[in-house]
Amino acid sequence: MQEDSARVRDALPGQVPVSPDNPCPFLRALVAGGFVDGHSVPLKTIGDRVEAASGETGFKKRIVGIETFGVALIANGLSPLRLLKSLFSGADLDQLRNGPLDKHGGGSRILDAEAKIHPEEIDRFASFGSDYPDPNGGTERGLNAAQIQTFMKANLQRDGDQARWYFPILMQGEWPVLLNILGKGEGDGRYLSVAEVRTLFVERRFPQRIVSRLMAKPTPANIVWRIGKAVVGTAVLAAVAVLLAWVAAPDAVSDKLSAILPKKAAALIPPALPEVESTKAAYWLDQGWTTKDRHWFHHVTQGTATFPIPYAWFMAMEQPYLSLFGTPGLISDSAYLERFGFIPSPKSVDGDPSALRAFGYAATTAAKTDIAPALPASLKPTPAGNEDGLPVGFARLSGAADPATGAAQSNKIGLTCAACHTGSIHYKGVSVRFDGGPGMVDLRKLEEAMGFAMIFTQYVPGRFSRFADRVLGPNATDADRDALKKGLKAATDFALNMQAKNYQTAIEAKGQTETEEGFGRLDALNRIGNQVFYLDMAVSGLPNMLGNQEAIDAPVSYPPIWTVPWFSWAQYDGSISQPLIRNAGEALGVSAQINFSPETASDKLWRSTMALENLTHIEDMLRGPDPFATTTPAFGGLTSPKWPEKLFAGDDAWKIDPARVERGRKIYATICVECHLGPVADPVFDKAYPDKSFWKIKPADDWETKGWSAKGPILDLMQKPVEVMQTDPGQASILATRKVKVPGFLQVDPAKELKGCNLPQGSTTEMPYALALMAVVQRASDKWMEDRKLSPAEQAALWGDRPNCPNPAGKTYRARPLNGVWSTAPYLHNGSVPSLYWLLTPAAERPTSFCQGARDYDPKHVGFDVAKGGETACKVGQSLFATKDGSGKPIKGNSTLGHSFEGPTKPNPKDYPNGVIGGTFSEEERWDLIEYLKTL
């Protein structure tokens, strides 16, 4: 063996010198006795030596070796390079000092940080023991398992602030292990001899019985054990390799593992995210709103606490990655949140306009400043700041009281309307952004990442300490840090058990399976039902609500919301007519808090944190003035985005072909007008086809012709039965078939609550989900107004003239005007068709799979460029939409069929079979119609 200055020179006769940088007494004795080298020792050799010393046999002996292998692997460090070196070169016993297992002289203090022995500490160790009968005769001082635990706890208390959170873990790998290997006696009478501890520490010698074990020639293991050991060793190596790969490239590894592991195993892996597309320029399209209005919409609270942690915790929590060098970024970093599909946003739109250019803001010359009238009852929308630079759709809920107790709450973090209803497309490094369009976010991935971030904050070394420093400041008391730790644990338990685990339990009990939503899709209706009729009620202390949950299995593309305030029915299935109910229901679904507790006074029931003043103002901003109040009828408020040809001057893919537009306009007038009505802003169309103009005013009693009601004005949209359209029935079936139980003490009676609807009397504890939701939102909204002491006239002004009644049409999908349709890919209500080109082909020819999330827009096909056979392999972190699972079984909610153009053209549209709405287009006709749709 080589000699070096690091070696101590006090070796006893016949011993090998031991480095002071080897702080483990057991390993020091192995080195001193010549059982292992004092430099780099193969991990297998260390495992074999500890196996032999343990005296165990069979399976227990193998377990000792495996555990030792794992400990030795990390003893020199946790960096990927260090772990690889340990795997291939072994552990360096001369360099254990300051490694992950070194307590720097803390704990027992028998061996200090300079390898000096303190005999008085051995005497202290002995004081925790008692006298035991020596199996060889006589008695001697020793410590049993319970006494060793008491000794270790006393050491931690003595270390005080010098102790680290992981010291107890390290101690469990020291003294209890010595008891197992060196101990005498059996069971509760097994003890660790103080005399042998003294010999081990001072003389670096093992008792003769241990030496005999180490010197004995090992009995060759039988073939089963050798194969088993090889398998386990390979598994350990594979696990280490996967861990190192995950640390180096977490999203790529998570993506691969999620694809090959069973679903329940894949759920234990943080979600893979796509890289954000590189953006060299950004533009917000002009849609009639001022920059301040737009920024307010992006960040104003709805009264929601979407995530189960306070705002300050959200801002302080680290991303669910492992970082061996430095620390991970924060989960609130805009660049990280953008990977979920969110759009970056400035802290403020005041100040230097040039600073806003990177966010896509520019002067809005056509913006109107009078798009929203003053609210009734002197209500005022609340301010909306973004001081922390969060992306579009994030808001801070400040000053909200607990609906049940009235106690002040800390600031909450919630999502806004804009989180899902602000769209963007990306093309060759240019980001084009627009309000009211379908978002491209994946909220499920964000929920999963938040859960993992909370777990990592509790259990990854050093992470809670950094988190606490950010939340409380570095000078916080131990009591404050303990309270924070308990609060974080409670929030994590809530997310893992009350939310995730109970949801899985409920849907498995019903034999249901979930459909992946992915980027750009959300099963909003089922999510709202699960939130209101399970989670909100369970939080309020109501038992037996688990069965109210349903699987998230009917995801839809986020619908565009421009011009919606003028429609008779909102949502794809035409399920809601009353605007306030629509918006308040959405706020409750995104976790506005509400009190259902039977323990509170009756006058506190139905209180919520909903911000109806903000929701009403948003509705007014979207609506704008009466479109018939001007000489030429036109929508104000938020207008649909226009095809951004000017942004891509010189790129032929964005140029509009006037000749094709004219031919496409004729096709539109012949086929599309029947359901989607005339275009809302095409004077040429209105002149050429005056009888089909969107702006025709129908008499108030002429609803059968599907047009404008002069008494509103409200547009009665065309509604088509699901069986006629043959598009996926999932979304339309939710409100038609789902039922919920409502506790009787809440006295929810739709027949009574939904005034003017003439509903038949039914059960007041089990009822259709649609009616229950309408009634609950009605009660919560009425309570909000009551608490603010609004007069009947003021309440009526907020409610407006439209009743809160269910749609009598049944299972239908409504057809909206196609203004801005170019910006709403993927198409059909469930986002199942990647482009307008494929929407205008026979349904059977459409791609049955394609990738979503962080991909370029295709201006030719209008949507995403997907080959006829579809896509089966996605980039890291993207979501794959598919009509069938790996076994070939259709995935619920993901049909691409219906709304098809196929077969010969028929003179009477009613002659087409269900699912077909027109004859097959020629290739030229298809391109002509696409060109016209770009201009709407």
Side-chain angles (χ1 to χ4, degrees):
M1 293 184 182
Q2 72 180 53
E3 297 288 332
D4 59 60
S5 59
R7 297 285 182 159
V8 296
R9 303 304 177 198
D10 61 347
L12 297 173
Q15 282 192 341
V16 176
V18 183
S19 169
D21 288 326
N22 180 346
C24 174
F26 192 89
L27 291 177
R28 289 168 66 81
L30 283 178
V31 173
F35 299 107
V36 297
D37 181 44
H39 299 288
S40 292
V41 184
L43 303 183
K44 181 179 183 300
T45 299
I46 297 176
D48 289 344
R49 295 295 181 269
V50 177
E51 278 187 8
S54 72
E56 297 286 2
T57 59
F59 181 71
K60 290 184 177 180
K61 180 178 180 180
R62 307 307 175 195
I63 292 298
V64 170
I66 292 169
E67 291 175 341
T68 304
F69 183 99
V71 172
L73 174 65
I74 66 171
N76 290 121
L78 298 172
S79 71
L81 291 177
R82 181 64 256 185
L83 291 172
L84 287 172
K85 184 177 181 180
S86 295
L87 275 174
F88 294 104
S89 302
D92 193 334
L93 303 190
D94 284 350
Q95 297 183 16
L96 298 180
R97 183 69 69 191
N98 297 321
L101 307 182
D102 183 17
K103 298 194 299 299
H104 306 284
S108 71
R109 304 186 189 180
I110 297 174
L111 183 72
D112 67 18
E114 296 178 353
K116 180 181 177 182
I117 300 298
H118 294 270
E120 71 276 9
E121 294 294 343
I122 300 179
D123 294 337
R124 177 177 174 273
F125 171 73
S127 70
F128 285 85
S130 55
D131 292 334
Y132 288 87
D134 185 341
N136 297 321
T139 60
E140 64 176 331
R141 196 70 170 176
L143 281 76
N144 65 13
Q147 291 166 335
I148 284 175
Q149 293 295 329
T150 302
F151 168 67
M152 292 191 299
K153 289 179 181 178
N155 291 341
L156 287 173
Q157 292 176 356
R158 183 172 64 164
D159 285 345
D161 292 340
Q162 299 301 315
R164 295 293 179 262
W165 67 270
Y166 53 86
F167 279 14
I169 300 174
L170 297 184
M171 288 178 175
Q172 294 300 328
E174 295 172 350
W175 292 103
V177 172
L178 284 179
L179 174 64
N180 288 337
I181 295 177
L182 302 183
K184 299 177 180 180
E186 300 296 335
D188 293 338
R190 188 173 180 84
Y191 68 94
L192 184 61
S193 167
V194 173
E196 291 184 349
V197 167
R198 190 183 307 274
T199 300
L200 179 68
F201 274 87
V202 176
E203 300 180 13
R204 296 181 294 283
R205 291 188 187 278
F206 293 119
Q208 185 55 43
R209 67 183 182 282
I210 304 300
V211 173
S212 298
R213 294 173 189 170
L214 291 168
M215 297 294 290
K217 186 177 180 179
T219 303
N222 64 39
I223 186 65
V224 174
W225 280 118
R226 283 186 291 180
I227 293 174
K229 192 171 182 179
V231 169
V232 171
T234 302
V236 171
L237 290 174
V240 172
V242 169
L243 175 63
L244 294 176
W246 190 80
V247 171
D251 292 292
V253 173
S254 292
D255 197 65
K256 292 295 184 184
L257 290 177
S258 296
I260 62 176
L261 292 175
K263 186 175 181 181
K264 288 190 176 181
L268 302 176
I269 302 169
L273 302 176
E275 290 298 325
V276 176
E277 301 140 306
S278 176
T279 300
K280 62 186 180 183
Y283 302 93
W284 282 100
L285 298 183
D286 196 340
Q287 297 173 261
W289 281 359
T290 65
T291 295
K292 287 189 176 182
D293 284 332
R294 169 171 272 155
H295 196 254
W296 181 86
F297 170 70
H298 291 170
H299 298 289
V300 70
T301 181
Q302 306 180 79
T304 58
T306 310
F307 306 106
I309 56 175
Y311 182 91
W313 295 13
F314 179 81
M315 298 305 301
M317 198 164 286
E318 292 174 5
Q319 298 163 15
Y321 296 124
L322 295 179
S323 178
L324 300 180
F325 303 100
T327 60
L330 298 178
I331 202 168
S332 56
D333 289 346
S334 181
Y336 177 70
L337 293 173
E338 288 164 36
R339 299 178 67 189
F340 296 93
F342 292 98
I343 301 169
S345 182
K347 295 181 178 181
S348 171
V349 292
D350 296 323
D352 184 3
S354 62
L356 301 178
R357 195 67 199 88
F359 294 95
Y361 282 92
T364 52
T365 56
K368 302 175 181 65
T369 59
D370 58 350
I371 54 176
L375 295 174
S378 299
L379 295 171
K380 292 185 178 180
T382 62
N386 188 35
E387 294 83 358
D388 293 304
L390 294 172
V392 170
F394 287 83
R396 177 169 52 196
L397 172 62
S398 301
D402 184 302
T405 65
Q409 299 187 102
S410 59
N411 293 342
K412 305 292 184 182
I413 177 74
L415 296 179
T416 74
C417 304
C420 302
H421 297 292
T422 305
S424 68
I425 61 171
H426 194 272
Y427 179 78
K428 294 183 178 180
V430 176
S431 175
V432 181
R433 303 161 183 178
F434 38 89
D435 286 307
M440 283 294 135
V441 298
D442 190 330
L443 293 185
R444 173 52 62 86
K445 279 185 185 267
L446 179 58
E447 292 167 346
E448 292 172 349
M450 281 297 305
F452 279 102
M454 294 162 72
I455 294 171
F456 280 27
T457 301
Q458 290 186 79
Y459 299 111
V460 173
R463 193 161 296 198
F464 177 79
S465 180
R466 297 192 296 269
F467 170 72
D469 286 346
R470 297 187 189 104
V471 174
L472 302 173
N475 299 320
T477 65
D478 289 343
D480 288 340
R481 297 172 80 89
D482 287 344
L484 178 63
K485 182 175 290 187
K486 290 178 181 178
L488 177 59
K489 184 181 186 305
T492 307
D493 290 345
F494 175 84
L496 295 182
N497 297 316
M498 185 76 83
Q499 290 180 307
K501 181 181 177 181
N502 286 355
Y503 165 72
Q504 289 297 330
T505 299
I507 67 173
E508 288 174 7
K510 294 182 177 182
Q512 299 174 345
T513 56
E514 187 176 75
T515 298
E516 181 181 4
E517 294 163 312
F519 285 93
R521 299 203 310 165
L522 193 79
D523 185 357
L525 282 180
N526 272 327
R527 278 175 170 265
I528 291 172
N530 292 349
Q531 176 70 38
V532 174
F533 293 102
Y534 163 65
L535 199 58
D536 287 338
M537 291 186 171
V539 168
S540 292
L542 300 177
N544 305 320
M545 294 293 108
L546 196 64
N548 272 347
Q549 295 187 96
E550 294 285 328
I552 295 169
D553 59 8
V556 299
S557 174
Y558 299 105
I561 57 174
W562 47 74
T563 62
V564 165
W566 300 104
F567 298 164
S568 54
W569 298 100
Q571 310 291 6
Y572 288 113
D573 60 354
S575 56
I576 303 178
S577 174
Q578 221 296 322
L580 190 60
I581 292 294
R582 160 169 42 91
N583 296 329
E586 182 266 337
L588 288 176
V590 191
S591 305
Q593 298 168 304
I594 186 170
N595 179 29
F596 293 130
S597 174
E599 302 300 323
T600 57
S602 59
D603 64 343
K604 292 183 179 179
L605 278 175
W606 303 103
R607 280 185 176 166
S608 71
T609 60
M610 292 190 303
L612 293 193
E613 67 273 51
N614 293 338
L615 294 172
T616 302
H617 190 69
I618 290 171
E619 185 73 12
D620 290 340
M621 287 173 60
L622 292 171
R623 182 189 296 111
D626 185 341
F628 290 101
T630 56
T631 303
T632 302
F635 286 120
L638 182 69
T639 58
S640 54
K642 297 300 182 183
W643 180 257
E645 178 182 6
K646 293 180 181 179
L647 297 181
F648 302 100
D651 189 331
D652 291 342
W654 290 88
K655 289 182 178 178
I656 296 293
D657 183 335
R660 280 199 182 278
V661 168
E662 183 55 40
R663 295 194 296 269
R665 182 180 284 116
K666 183 176 181 180
I667 296 172
Y668 185 97
T670 303
I671 298 175
C672 306
V673 162
E674 178 195 356
C675 294
H676 293 286
L677 308 179
V680 305
D682 181 6
V684 176
F685 183 98
D686 292 341
K687 184 176 180 180
Y689 309 100
D691 60 321
K692 298 177 180 180
S693 171
F694 180 82
W695 298 105
K696 291 186 305 179
I697 298 180
K698 297 292 183 182
D701 59 351
D702 190 15
W703 287 89
E704 290 300 316
T705 57
K706 305 299 178 187
W708 280 97
S709 164
K711 183 189 175 181
I714 296 174
L715 179 65
D716 191 20
L717 296 177
M718 175 66 70
Q719 300 174 73
K720 289 283 189 177
V722 173
E723 61 268 22
V724 171
M725 295 306 295
Q726 292 291 295
T727 50
D728 192 281
Q731 210 256 359
S733 300
I734 295 173
L735 296 181
T737 60
R738 182 174 177 177
K739 294 185 180 298
V740 294
K741 292 182 178 179
V742 182
F745 84 93
L746 289 175
Q747 298 180 355
V748 174
D749 184 355
K752 177 181 177 183
E753 310 288 348
L754 308 184
K755 300 177 178 63
C757 300
N758 298 318
L759 296 176
Q761 185 65 48
S763 169
T764 57
T765 56
E766 184 172 0
M767 62 194 73
Y769 165 47
L771 297 182
L773 182 62
M774 295 169 77
V776 164
V777 179
Q778 174 91 38
R779 292 280 291 275
S781 301
D782 285 340
K783 181 60 178 174
W784 188 93
M785 297 181 196
E786 173 191 316
D787 284 347
R788 284 152 186 79
K789 296 180 172 53
L790 302 190
S791 68
E794 291 168 336
Q795 293 186 38
L798 279 178
W799 280 113
D801 296 329
R802 300 168 72 171
N804 179 23
C805 292
N807 190 338
K811 292 173 64 174
T812 65
Y813 287 126
R814 60 108 172 97
R816 62 160 292 148
L818 297 180
N819 49 323
V821 68
W822 67 270
S823 64
T824 62
Y827 295 97
L828 293 184
H829 72 275
N830 62 342
S832 62
V833 182
S835 67
L836 281 180
Y837 178 85
W838 286 118
L839 186 65
L840 300 178
T841 59
E845 298 178 16
R846 296 168 183 162
T848 55
S849 60
F850 63 94
C851 301
Q852 273 281 66
R855 64 180 300 168
D856 259 12
Y857 182 83
D858 176 19
K860 179 181 179 181
H861 295 87
V862 187
F864 303 118
D865 184 13
V866 177
K868 183 175 182 178
E871 299 170 333
T872 56
C874 299
K875 294 180 180 179
V876 170
Q878 290 182 334
S879 55
L880 178 68
F881 169 89
T883 59
K884 297 180 179 179
D885 62 20
S887 67
K889 180 181 177 181
I891 298 175
K892 188 175 181 180
N894 281 10
S895 172
T896 64
L897 302 179
H899 194 280
S900 183
F901 298 91
E902 57 185 82
T905 300
K906 297 182 180 293
N908 186 349
K910 294 183 179 179
D911 293 335
Y912 287 111
N914 287 346
V916 178
I917 59 174
T920 305
F921 291 117
S922 69
E923 193 70 1
E924 286 300 305
E925 288 174 328
R926 188 176 294 116
W927 290 120
D928 289 343
L929 182 53
I930 289 173
E931 198 76 358
Y932 179 63
L933 293 175
K934 293 177 182 178
T935 68
L936 300 183

